[in-house]
Amino acid sequence: MKRLKIVALTAVLGFFAATVNVNAQDVAEGEQIFKNNCAACHNTSDETLVGPGLKGIGERRPLDWIVKWVHNPQAVIASGDKYANDLFKKFNQAQMTAYPNYSEDQIKSVIAYIDAQAAPAAPVAGEGGAVATTPAEGSSNGGMMQYILVALLGVMILVLVALLSIVSSLSKLASVDPNSDEAKNVPFFQKIAENGKKLAANSAFKTGAALLITLLIGKATIDTAYGVGIHQGYAPEQPIQFSHKLHAGQYEINCNYCHTGVYKGKGANIPSANICMNCHNVIKRESPEIQKIYRSLENDEPIQWVRVHNLPDLAYFNHSQHTNVGGLECTNCHGEINKMEVVEQRSSLTMGWCIDCHRKTEVNTKDNAYYDKLVELHNKENKEPLKVQNIGGLECSKCHY
Ligand code: HEC
Ligand code: HEC
Ligand code: HEC
Ligand code: HEC
Ligand code: HEC
Ligand code: HEC
């Protein structure tokens, strides 16, 4: 027992000793730089991605070499540096991007982040918190509704059967002399039960059943009519078996590495085959799926990706407004794309969906001077926090041309 305590104590102390060395701010900055630039080609472990795994890079290479390398890898190779040339050869002469603008301190932060990742216990600053929002509407919502409807239908059928048997017993009773023994002795409900058997033959029952079926068909028709133009759950097969689970999930390639417009523009952009080639000129070249990318480039024919999300032309939607200004995560609207083999439309993309979120979601006013005055004005006459609806998020003209 005592031993155990000592072990635990040393573990805790060791943990603090390990973390005190690493300045949390550096690690957070390093993480951001790494994820946005390096993660596309490097793992923090020792597993090779496009370039070598960077685990232990701080010990493997002197700092000034790493700085020179990151600033301009081609220059280091050209200088005749043996290590660099061997590495370049080993990686099939894949060219690393140059990052001339990162300061030595920033590169140190990246190394600190890589080291922190290697020590699994060390805490790493999490992702920046986003505004509190509703998660993407899952299909569970629709599922729940279905159950409720089925339950309601069940209740309706029971009520109908009960009503019909009452009608039938009443008509029976009406035909019996109220003063006869039969009417006095047989309990009312027993009569109902007896009459149940005759129900099948009863014409009122037949009418009821016909009515019910008509109702059911009617409901199905209305459902389909409302569903026109709604493609929730749409997950078409794509011309190349591109997996987000693999690229964005397992290899943690940043969404905007491929969807280059998502923080800057209206559309997120679907990547061109050239972006794929940054990696696939070396990775899995012989795979038949990758060969399709080569063919597309050789024949100068763009890959015919099937569009998944598609708002009608009458509606205006802008990504940067939501991701960059609003601080929303992709998952808020698209669900967990990084777990999907095949992309699926998770939200309904109806007007009600947009409006609903604008009613509920607070505007991300933090560090945004543009909103300071507005927040002040709003708070004077309103106890509720500033929501998107308060900045015009429900005005027709904001979403319709
Ligand atoms: C487009 C892919 C790519 C990106 C992006 C990239 N690298 Fe590299 N990196 C490579 C390749 C490939 C090598 C191996 C040498 C070569 O072929 O040029 C490498 C090598 C290295 C090495 C030497 C590794 C060793 O084992 O000695 C370091 C350090 C390094 N990169 C750091 C970085 C950092 C830091 C970033 C982000 C700021 C980054 N790289 C971004 C592709 C990339
Ligand atoms: C390596 C490149 C790459 C990365 C990284 C990537 N995507 Fe994609 N994405 C694609 C390609 C290619 C398509 C078109 C084919 C498809 O739908 O699978 C696509 C399609 C999509 C679509 C559907 C587009 C449509 O037609 O409506 C969404 C949404 C999407 N990506 C979101 C994301 C999110 C979120 C991330 C980050 C978690 C991400 N992507 C990361 C390449 C990428
Ligand atoms: C930043 C690097 C990177 C980029 C960019 C990239 N991929 Fe990949 N891709 C990978 C890695 C790593 C693998 C896994 C290779 C393995 O399994 O050994 C992979 C695997 C694949 C596979 C599976 C191949 C197979 O047969 O197993 C397909 C298909 C694929 N990528 C398509 C694409 C397409 C299409 C694009 C462009 C939209 C793209 N990739 C962009 C790194 C990348
Ligand atoms: C507020 C909701 C919302 C957020 C947040 C969001 N998207 Fe979208 N996304 C949409 C809608 C709506 C469409 C359909 C746009 C259209 O058809 O005009 C779409 C379409 C796309 C497409 C298809 C190409 C295009 O631009 O139409 C891609 C790719 C995509 N989103 C990626 C992303 C990525 C990556 C992120 C996170 C960085 C993200 N989205 C965040 C709502 C959102
Ligand atoms: C997950 C929540 C969410 C969903 C879903 C959503 N929005 Fe938004 N929207 C926001 C937030 C948050 C802002 C405020 C961004 C800012 O600070 O300017 C915003 C702002 C806007 C604005 C600018 C409003 C203004 O007055 O400046 C427009 C236009 C807009 N959204 C359109 C849409 C459309 C169209 C859809 C549906 C296709 C949609 N949004 C779906 C959260 C959402
Ligand atoms: C936050 C964004 C947003 C606002 C605000 C908004 N709409 Fe829409 N509206 C949409 C979107 C997105 C669609 C497309 C829905 C679909 O395809 O199902 C749409 C569709 C429509 C349609 C086509 C009918 C339909 O259901 O497809 C009409 C008409 C319409 N809106 C009228 C209005 C009017 C009038 C207002 C103001 C009271 C308004 N909208 C405000 C986003 C918005």
Side-chain angles (χ1 to χ4, degrees):
M1 194 60 198
K2 200 167 176 186
R3 245 184 99 107
L4 202 70
K5 271 188 190 158
I6 293 172
V7 170
L9 198 68
T10 17
V12 169
L13 282 176
F15 169 80
F16 276 112
T19 46
V20 166
N21 276 331
V22 186
N23 182 330
Q25 181 53 46
D26 288 349
V27 173
E29 192 195 16
E31 174 177 17
Q32 215 193 5
I33 296 175
F34 186 88
K35 286 201 165 155
N36 285 331
N37 301 286
C38 325
C41 298
H42 291 289
N43 278 323
T44 54
S45 67
D46 44 23
E47 259 175 64
T48 301
L49 196 49
V50 177
L54 291 184
K55 187 177 174 189
I57 186 65
E59 285 112 59
R60 184 154 78 233
R61 301 301 298 156
L63 180 66
D64 60 340
W65 184 90
I66 299 177
V67 172
K68 259 194 251 149
W69 172 264
V70 172
H71 283 168
N72 193 345
Q74 287 312 304
V76 178
I77 292 168
S79 76
D81 181 290
K82 181 167 164 13
Y83 181 92
N85 277 283
D86 289 349
L87 198 66
F88 190 49
K89 238 181 251 141
K90 188 170 157 211
F91 282 86
N92 291 322
Q93 314 208 321
Q95 299 207 357
M96 175 170 140
T97 327
Y99 298 92
N101 296 329
Y102 286 130
S103 67
E104 186 172 323
D105 278 342
Q106 281 173 315
I107 294 173
K108 267 196 210 155
S109 306
V110 173
I111 299 173
Y113 166 66
I114 293 169
D115 288 345
Q117 288 297 98
V124 175
E127 313 274 326
V131 220
T133 46
T134 45
E137 282 172 44
S139 44
S140 60
N141 251 346
M144 192 65 176
M145 202 60 206
Q146 289 292 321
Y147 284 127
I148 294 174
L149 282 175
V150 169
L152 275 176
L153 269 175
V155 171
M156 267 172 62
I157 293 173
L158 284 179
V159 169
L160 196 73
V161 168
L163 278 176
L164 283 171
S165 51
I166 289 172
V167 166
S168 145
S169 338
L170 282 179
S171 61
K172 256 275 152 55
L173 275 177
S175 68
V176 170
D177 180 356
N179 295 322
S180 74
D181 283 350
E182 200 189 346
K184 279 178 189 147
N185 295 342
V186 182
F188 182 65
F189 285 106
Q190 195 177 328
K191 260 195 125 58
I192 290 178
E194 275 173 21
N195 283 321
K197 289 178 208 148
K198 297 176 197 151
L199 207 59
N202 191 308
S203 68
F205 179 77
K206 281 183 192 153
T207 328
L211 197 74
L212 194 71
I213 291 169
T214 323
L215 277 176
L216 276 172
I217 294 174
K219 187 198 167 296
T221 321
I222 292 170
D223 276 359
T224 341
Y226 272 116
V228 169
I230 301 180
H231 302 287
Q232 197 163 9
Y234 180 51
E237 198 181 311
Q238 299 290 349
I240 297 179
Q241 281 172 21
F242 173 82
S243 164
H244 279 81
K245 192 173 166 207
L246 181 77
H247 290 84
Q250 194 179 333
Y251 288 106
E252 296 184 342
I253 305 172
N254 228 289
C255 310
N256 71 324
Y257 182 84
C258 291
H259 300 298
T260 51
V262 79
Y263 293 111
K264 321 191 266 245
K266 177 181 178 304
N269 295 351
I270 297 297
S272 70
N274 288 318
I275 291 187
C276 314
M277 284 326 248
N278 286 349
C279 299
H280 286 291
N281 58 357
V282 279
I283 294 177
K284 281 252 169 169
R285 298 166 68 140
E286 69 299 337
S287 152
E289 292 299 312
I290 303 299
Q291 285 297 320
K292 290 184 193 166
I293 310 176
Y294 281 79
R295 238 171 289 146
S296 142
L297 281 169
E298 276 158 19
N299 303 338
D300 206 17
E301 282 168 2
I303 303 166
Q304 301 284 328
W305 301 112
V306 182
R307 187 159 182 163
V308 184
H309 301 75
N310 203 354
L311 285 178
D313 289 343
L314 56 87
Y316 174 82
F317 177 83
N318 185 313
H319 266 97
S320 66
Q321 174 113 49
H322 291 88
T323 55
N324 195 356
V325 186
L328 295 173
E329 302 287 339
C330 316
T331 44
N332 287 128
C333 300
H334 292 299
E336 291 184 301
I337 297 270
N338 61 358
K339 293 194 178 145
M340 296 181 198
E341 286 288 351
V342 176
V343 176
E344 176 189 313
Q345 180 180 320
R346 282 287 164 86
S347 303
S348 65
L349 306 198
T350 56
M351 178 163 140
W353 173 71
C354 316
I355 299 271
D356 194 46
C357 185
H358 287 183
R359 284 224 175 88
K360 286 189 204 144
T361 310
E362 289 172 31
V363 178
N364 179 20
T365 51
K366 221 177 88 212
D367 304 328
N368 191 338
Y370 178 82
Y371 285 125
D372 288 353
K373 261 262 152 52
L374 207 64
V375 173
E376 202 181 297
L377 276 173
H378 176 82
N379 290 347
K380 254 192 208 139
E381 47 193 276
N382 213 318
K383 283 213 180 78
E384 288 260 307
L386 186 74
K387 303 263 174 68
V388 182
Q389 62 175 346
N390 304 121
I391 61 167
L394 303 188
E395 285 166 21
C396 319
S397 60
K398 287 279 168 75
C399 305
H400 296 292
Y401 298 102

